[in-house]
Amino acid sequence: MRFKNFPLKSKLVIYIVVGVFLVLAVSTAVIISTVTSQEEKLAYQKSIEMASSYANQFNTDMKANSAVANTIALTMENYEASNRTEVIGILDNILKKNPNLIGVYVGYEPNAFDGRDAEYINASGHDATGRFVPYCNKIEGNVTVEPLLRYDSSDYYQLPKVKEDAVLTEPYFYEGIFMISHVSPIFKDEKFVGIAGADVPLKYMDEVVSKVKAFDTGYAFMVSNTGVLLSYPTHKEWIGKKTLYDFKSKEIARAADDIKNGTGGYIEVSDSTTGKPVVMFYEPVRTGNLAFVLVIPKEEMLAGVVDLRNKLLVISAISILFMAALAYMIALSITKPIDEIVQDFKSIAQDAVNGKLDVRADTEVERDFREIPMGLNEILKAVIVPVRESIRVTNALAEGELKERVNVDVQGEFRELGNTLDKFSETLNSIIDDSNAVLTAFQQNNFKRPINIHGEGDFKLLTDGIEETRQALDTITTQRIETQKALMDYAKELECSNKLKEDLERVINTSPVIVFLWKYESMWPAEFVSENITRLGYEVEDFTSNRLRYGDIVHPEDLEEMAAELKMNVEAGCTDYTSEYRILTKRGEVRWVDERTVIQQTEDGEVHLQGIIMDITEHKKAEDALLKMEEIRKKEIHHRIKNNLQVISMLLYLESGNFTDRNVVEAFRDSQHRVKSMALVHEKLYQSEDMVSVDFADYIKNLVDYLFQSYSLDSRKVSLKLDVEKVFLGMDTAVPLGIIVNELVSNSLKHAFAGEKEGEIYIELHRSIENPTLQETNLISENSGNTKARQQNYERNGLNGITENKEEKLTLIVRDNGKGFPENLDFRNTTSLGLQLVTTLVDQIEGDIRLDRSRGTGFEISFFRR
């Protein structure tokens, strides 16, 4: 039923009631919203203040316990008596005065307390090493003194040692007690010598917190900075084992993140035990890196707000009912006389419907409404004739006779009515003909035929509507055809794209390469990881849920180097780099991986990392095996060369027995010594660890001992003095230098002391750091296999860099105090094969040789190490 057909009385009642209702409803809503909002804020504020109060209380306790550890540390720093028993007594006294503590202790570095650790091995408060590490505790009930355990690896000792500052450990279990430790470092002369600490059991915290009540059924609990439950009123088995992240709630996880960042707040969640909506308030305990959590049922917290709102709603409802009754009384007084006129109008209208147009209205009504029936009668008189004619023409039009026209002679607007009706007939006839033509085209799916005749007014709406419909249909048809084609093309592209995506995922997940997207944050949280991470025993969810970060699976020994390498490449603006390091599988196996990383940096400095890792463990094992095989092969080569040279030496010795000429025998013996000197180099290489360099000091001693034995000299007649630094030389230098020593020492033994009662051979080898000349540098760069780094440095620095770079210069001196070298003989131009070898080999090692005749015969050979 339309609203305009409602009785006037009902309309008045509705208008008044609706108006009052709207006014009261808006005002009531504003009042309820304002009041309940204030009440709700007060309820939340009260709960926040309660949580903050408890958090401050526990913060005070933590500060007091931390002060105990600081006091012990300061006492030990200023303690000069070095009495271990007295220190244990001090700890015992502190523990008795602080009933909230489970234990107090000090732990000193080896011999850092009084230097007498060896005297106290396994004594009370000492371990098997004798270190002074007393731990006074009440774990068993009575106060006992025990040595600290696992201090070499546990955080309570290592963290203050590394940070050199006071620390508070994460909660942990020690001998079955759930506790935290306040630890302060002890310094002597600004040097770390040990720690002092106080252990706080978390049991009393659980007892205190479990008694906290808020409203009717609200409760509280404590968590650590990492979200571990430290207390819980109902589920004691959760303490120390369950974290906030284990509740599988995004809101609780967000609260755990806030707690980790040291911020407070509240969230609305469902209680894990009752399932009811609750508000969880959490406040940090600053000193302990802990947080106090207050859980209040939302229904209880807002009970006062709901009661106030209900009362306001009842008052508003009563007001609306009262105004509705008042509106009804006002409407009744106004509508009664109107109802009488309306009833007379209804009777006249009924007669007019029945064809009785001569009926007139009753004018005997109240004075204020009398003009209404009188005016109606005048209208009835004026409209009877034109109405009847209009009815006739209208009936003709209704019967399809569109050429029928008005025939009566009327004046004024009635005449205009007739003309309008005639014009309407003509216009309607034309519009119908043109519209029929367009509709016929529609039926043939031809939407190109436009409307040619446009009407005016409502007829214009009709014709424009048909034309707009035609245009819309034409556009829709064209667009539909184009859309169908585009959809077909898109479907084909989408099918190809999906297939390509599936193929790529299958290739990645079946390949040995694991794909990662990392955040450039601490320990590199993973934003994405390919499914074949299962090759390492992990699941994708382990990383996407942040249970694991990529840094957690990197081998601890490689983590620092890997992080430094990544930081260096990021700061250097590199776009990609490659790295090799070890990781740990979920089963704890160590695997080598090759990481290929792409670094993307946005304009605002944000860094994104994407890359792949590939298991190269087998490749590494193969490399190690090849290195071991190469080492064995080199040892075998040196060993065989040594044996072959010894065979040659023996053959020379045996062959010399076939000759009686002293010079020939001497030549064979000299050759035998030269071969022996070379064999000795290979023997030293075989015995060396790297098989690349020889300890030349040891080599000289063995060679000279051999020569002394070979020439069968009385050690009391000819003595040997060695002043040789420990120098390692490569084979290319050791062999020629060994032959040089062999020749010079052999010459001294054969010629220097003939007819002398006693003599001395002196061998010196020392090194110094000097600037090489330009010519020496060029020779070294061209001929030395170990100077690549120097060449690169020269290239970077130019000629200036040559003089700035230092070279290691070696000087070998072989001297005897015998007869002396003949004055008329040039050692560089002599028929002696030995001296010819010496000068040739000195040139081979790119050195200089100088003869000193001042004290017997001395040869000084200097060269730069290669």
Side-chain angles (χ1 to χ4, degrees):
M1 186 177 180
R2 296 185 178 180
F3 184 73
K4 67 180 181 179
N5 296 327
F6 275 49
L8 181 59
K9 179 171 63 178
S10 299
K11 289 183 179 180
L12 289 174
V13 172
I14 291 173
Y15 285 142
I16 297 174
V17 172
V18 169
V20 173
F21 172 78
L22 290 176
V23 172
L24 289 177
V26 171
S27 60
T28 302
V30 172
I31 293 172
I32 291 175
S33 175
T34 303
V35 174
T36 55
S37 176
Q38 292 296 326
E39 288 293 323
E40 186 172 337
K41 287 182 180 178
L42 289 174
Y44 274 92
Q45 187 62 35
K46 178 181 177 182
S47 301
I48 292 173
E49 291 176 355
M50 184 184 300
S52 179
S53 175
Y54 280 109
N56 290 335
Q57 176 184 339
F58 284 107
N59 189 54
T60 301
D61 292 343
M62 289 297 174
K63 286 183 177 180
N65 296 329
S66 178
V68 172
N70 290 335
T71 301
I72 296 174
L74 291 174
T75 301
M76 292 298 99
E77 290 179 359
N78 297 299
Y79 185 71
E80 301 293 342
S82 300
N83 188 327
R84 302 192 181 203
T85 304
E86 186 177 8
V87 172
I88 294 175
I90 293 172
L91 296 177
D92 181 83
N93 186 45
I94 291 174
L95 183 59
K96 290 178 180 179
K97 289 183 179 180
N98 294 271
N100 288 337
L101 301 179
I102 192 67
V104 293
Y105 52 86
V106 295
Y108 277 87
E109 292 283 276
N111 287 314
F113 183 73
D114 55 8
R116 299 166 56 196
D117 284 359
E119 301 176 17
Y120 292 90
I121 294 176
N122 291 325
S124 177
H126 303 73
D127 59 12
T129 66
R131 287 177 66 169
F132 188 40
V133 287
Y135 179 38
C136 293
N137 65 85
K138 298 185 290 185
I139 294 178
E140 300 295 335
N142 297 324
V143 177
T144 60
V145 180
E146 302 172 351
L148 292 173
L149 302 177
R150 299 183 295 276
Y151 50 79
D152 288 333
S153 59
S154 298
D155 288 347
Y156 76 87
Y157 193 97
Q158 298 301 322
L159 285 179
K161 180 179 179 179
V162 173
K163 294 183 177 180
E164 296 189 350
D165 197 3
V167 299
L168 176 64
T169 67
E170 282 289 311
Y172 63 97
F173 284 97
Y174 185 91
E175 300 295 321
I177 302 297
F178 196 44
M179 66 176 69
I180 57 176
S181 297
H182 296 270
V183 191
S184 295
I186 302 174
F187 296 96
K188 287 288 187 178
D189 300 326
E190 298 183 354
K191 179 182 179 182
F192 175 85
V193 297
I195 62 166
D199 289 342
V200 183
L202 298 180
K203 182 179 179 181
Y204 91 94
M205 183 185 298
D206 178 52
E207 293 174 352
V208 172
V209 175
S210 296
K211 295 178 182 178
V212 174
K213 296 295 181 183
F215 294 91
D216 295 331
T217 61
Y219 61 91
F221 61 90
M222 296 283 288
V223 296
S224 72
N225 189 41
T226 58
V228 177
L229 295 182
L230 306 181
S231 70
Y232 208 80
T234 55
H235 296 280
K236 302 299 182 182
E237 70 277 7
W238 291 356
I239 298 176
K241 299 177 181 178
K242 193 167 185 177
T243 70
L244 293 178
Y245 296 103
D246 295 334
F247 285 95
K248 306 298 183 182
S249 169
K250 293 182 179 179
E251 289 78 10
I252 296 179
R254 178 170 58 81
D257 292 338
D258 290 343
I259 291 172
K260 184 181 294 185
N261 295 327
T263 59
Y266 63 88
I267 58 173
E268 296 185 9
V269 295
S270 295
D271 190 277
S272 60
T273 303
T274 64
K276 295 182 178 180
V278 296
V279 182
M280 180 186 292
F281 299 87
Y282 48 92
E283 288 292 330
V285 179
R286 302 295 180 185
T287 301
N289 287 331
L290 312 176
F292 179 82
V293 182
L294 185 64
V295 181
I296 304 174
K298 189 173 182 180
E299 180 181 358
E300 295 177 9
M301 189 177 72
L302 301 180
V305 178
V306 174
D307 183 59
L308 177 62
R309 182 173 61 233
N310 292 338
K311 290 179 180 178
L312 291 173
L313 288 174
V314 171
I315 294 172
S316 299
I318 294 173
S319 300
I320 292 171
L321 291 175
F322 173 77
M323 292 305 298
L326 181 61
Y328 180 78
M329 297 300 295
I330 295 172
L332 187 62
S333 64
I334 295 174
T335 60
K336 185 176 180 180
I338 297 175
D339 287 342
E340 295 176 355
I341 296 174
V342 171
Q343 188 62 36
D344 192 26
F345 276 27
K346 284 182 179 181
S347 178
I348 294 173
Q350 187 62 40
D351 290 339
V353 171
N354 295 329
K356 299 177 181 179
L357 299 178
D358 294 330
V359 178
R360 296 295 179 264
D362 183 8
T363 57
E364 296 297 328
V365 295
E366 292 187 14
R367 181 179 177 181
D368 294 333
F369 299 101
R370 191 172 297 162
E371 295 294 329
I372 295 175
M374 292 175 64
L376 179 59
N377 291 337
E378 292 295 329
I379 293 172
L380 289 173
K381 291 178 182 179
V383 300
I384 288 175
V385 174
V387 168
R388 288 176 177 173
E389 182 63 15
S390 298
I391 291 173
R392 185 187 68 78
V393 175
T394 302
N395 288 333
L397 294 176
E399 293 174 357
E401 299 175 1
L402 299 180
K403 296 182 179 180
E404 188 65 36
R405 298 296 181 263
V406 177
N407 296 324
V408 297
D409 184 14
V410 291
Q411 302 296 324
E413 294 183 358
F414 289 115
R415 182 65 209 172
E416 292 180 3
L417 175 61
N419 294 337
T420 300
L421 190 57
D422 291 342
K423 185 178 180 181
F424 169 73
S425 299
E426 295 173 357
T427 303
L428 183 60
N429 190 31
S430 301
I431 290 173
I432 289 174
D433 291 340
D434 193 49
S435 298
N436 284 334
V438 174
L439 293 175
T440 300
F442 282 4
Q443 292 173 353
Q444 299 173 356
N445 288 326
N446 178 13
F447 303 106
K448 301 297 183 182
R449 174 29 168 110
I451 287 286
N452 296 321
I453 299 175
H454 294 270
E456 297 180 357
D458 291 338
F459 288 128
K460 187 176 189 307
L461 295 177
L462 175 62
T463 55
D464 289 350
I466 295 174
E467 177 62 16
E468 290 175 0
T469 301
R470 182 197 65 79
Q471 294 176 355
L473 289 172
D474 186 28
T475 302
I476 290 171
T477 302
T478 303
Q479 291 177 347
R480 177 174 59 81
I481 295 172
E482 293 175 353
T483 302
Q484 287 178 346
K485 184 178 181 303
L487 286 174
M488 291 296 293
D489 294 341
Y490 176 73
K492 292 180 181 179
E493 292 178 1
L494 184 60
E495 182 179 359
C496 293
S497 177
N498 289 335
K499 186 176 184 304
L500 179 60
K501 178 176 177 292
E502 292 173 358
D503 291 342
L504 287 175
E505 289 180 350
R506 183 167 59 255
V507 169
I508 290 174
N509 293 328
T510 56
S511 72
V513 174
I514 302 174
V515 180
F516 271 95
L517 294 180
W518 298 289
K519 295 181 180 178
Y520 187 54
E521 300 174 4
S522 176
M523 299 297 283
W524 315 287
E527 296 179 322
F528 169 81
V529 62
S530 57
E531 294 181 0
N532 57 347
I533 189 65
T534 54
R535 292 176 180 270
L536 302 179
Y538 301 104
E539 299 295 335
V540 174
E541 187 181 0
D542 292 339
F543 295 91
T544 56
S545 64
N546 283 332
R547 287 199 300 269
L548 281 178
R549 296 164 297 179
Y550 186 74
D552 296 329
I553 71 173
V554 176
H555 197 287
E557 295 178 2
D558 297 347
L559 185 59
E560 183 177 354
E561 181 180 353
M562 172 196 169
E565 183 178 8
L566 173 59
K567 182 180 179 182
M568 178 188 68
N569 281 279
V570 171
E571 292 178 350
C574 296
T575 57
D576 60 85
Y577 76 100
T578 301
S579 178
E580 291 184 3
Y581 53 86
R582 294 169 292 174
I583 63 173
L584 301 175
T585 66
K586 193 167 186 178
R587 297 175 59 184
E589 298 176 354
V590 178
R591 309 294 292 177
W592 277 93
V593 295
D594 180 2
E595 176 193 328
R596 311 291 175 92
T597 303
V598 175
I599 304 171
Q600 296 179 338
Q601 300 194 41
T602 60
E603 293 182 356
D604 57 358
E606 187 176 357
V607 178
H608 297 279
L609 306 175
Q610 61 183 7
I612 59 173
I613 62 171
M614 184 170 62
D615 191 333
I616 59 170
T617 304
E618 299 305 322
H619 176 71
K620 281 289 185 181
K621 290 181 180 178
E623 284 184 351
D624 293 341
L626 288 174
L627 289 175
K628 290 180 180 178
M629 290 176 63
E630 180 68 15
E631 181 179 353
I632 294 172
R633 187 180 66 83
K634 288 182 179 180
K635 281 182 175 289
E636 181 64 21
I637 290 173
H638 290 304
H639 183 64
R640 290 190 180 187
I641 292 175
K642 181 204 70 169
N643 290 342
N644 292 335
L645 289 173
Q646 286 180 342
V647 170
I648 294 172
S649 177
M650 181 59 65
L651 290 174
L652 290 172
Y653 172 75
L654 294 175
E655 188 66 24
S656 66
N658 297 326
F659 298 92
T660 57
D661 187 289
R662 185 173 179 276
N663 292 329
V664 173
V665 173
E666 186 69 24
F668 271 101
R669 187 168 65 169
D670 290 344
S671 298
Q672 182 183 353
H673 294 338
R674 293 170 187 135
V675 172
K676 180 63 178 180
S677 67
M678 290 187 288
L680 190 58
V681 170
H682 287 280
E683 182 178 2
K684 293 300 179 182
L685 285 172
Y686 172 75
Q687 295 171 352
S688 67
E689 293 182 359
D690 57 4
M691 290 177 293
V692 174
S693 58
V694 175
D695 183 352
F696 202 71
D698 183 56
Y699 170 80
I700 290 178
K701 185 178 184 306
N702 291 342
L703 178 60
V704 174
D705 287 345
Y706 163 75
L707 293 174
F708 267 67
Q709 293 174 5
S710 298
Y711 285 96
S712 301
L713 293 177
D714 187 353
S715 60
R716 291 174 297 176
K717 179 180 179 181
V718 179
S719 61
L720 173 68
K721 288 189 178 181
L722 295 177
D723 183 9
V724 181
E725 291 188 29
K726 197 174 186 64
V727 177
F728 287 88
L729 298 177
M731 183 175 175
D732 292 342
T733 303
V735 170
L737 201 63
I739 296 176
I740 291 172
V741 172
N742 173 78
E743 297 300 327
L744 295 178
V745 172
S746 296
N747 283 342
S748 296
L749 292 174
K750 289 188 294 182
H751 306 296
F753 306 110
E756 299 291 337
K757 294 182 179 180
E758 61 182 16
E760 177 184 89
I761 296 178
Y762 173 78
I763 300 177
E764 175 185 354
L765 177 64
H766 59 83
R767 52 189 171 186
S768 59
I769 305 299
E770 295 185 6
N771 286 326
T773 64
L774 179 59
Q775 181 179 4
E776 290 171 336
T777 301
N778 291 336
L779 289 173
I780 292 171
S781 300
E782 293 172 359
N783 298 306
S784 176
N786 297 325
T787 55
K788 183 177 181 180
R790 289 199 298 268
Q791 289 177 348
Q792 293 174 346
N793 193 35
Y794 297 155
E795 292 171 0
R796 287 194 299 267
N797 298 326
L799 293 176
N800 292 334
I802 295 174
T803 58
E804 294 174 0
N805 284 273
K806 304 295 185 178
E807 291 292 332
E808 187 178 60
K809 184 178 182 180
L810 298 178
T811 302
L812 173 67
I813 299 174
V814 179
R815 176 185 297 112
D816 62 67
N817 59 356
K819 295 181 178 180
F821 199 84
E823 292 287 343
N824 59 349
L825 185 61
D826 183 4
F827 74 93
R828 298 181 186 274
N829 296 303
T830 179
T831 59
S832 171
L833 178 61
L835 289 177
Q836 290 178 8
L837 275 175
V838 169
T839 56
T840 300
L841 293 175
V842 168
D843 291 337
Q844 180 178 325
I845 62 175
E846 300 167 2
D848 293 325
I849 183 170
R850 185 173 64 86
L851 174 62
D852 181 11
R853 293 187 175 91
S854 62
R855 293 174 295 171
T857 301
F859 286 92
E860 179 179 324
I861 300 167
S862 60
F863 61 96
F864 288 97
R865 178 200 286 261
R866 292 192 292 174

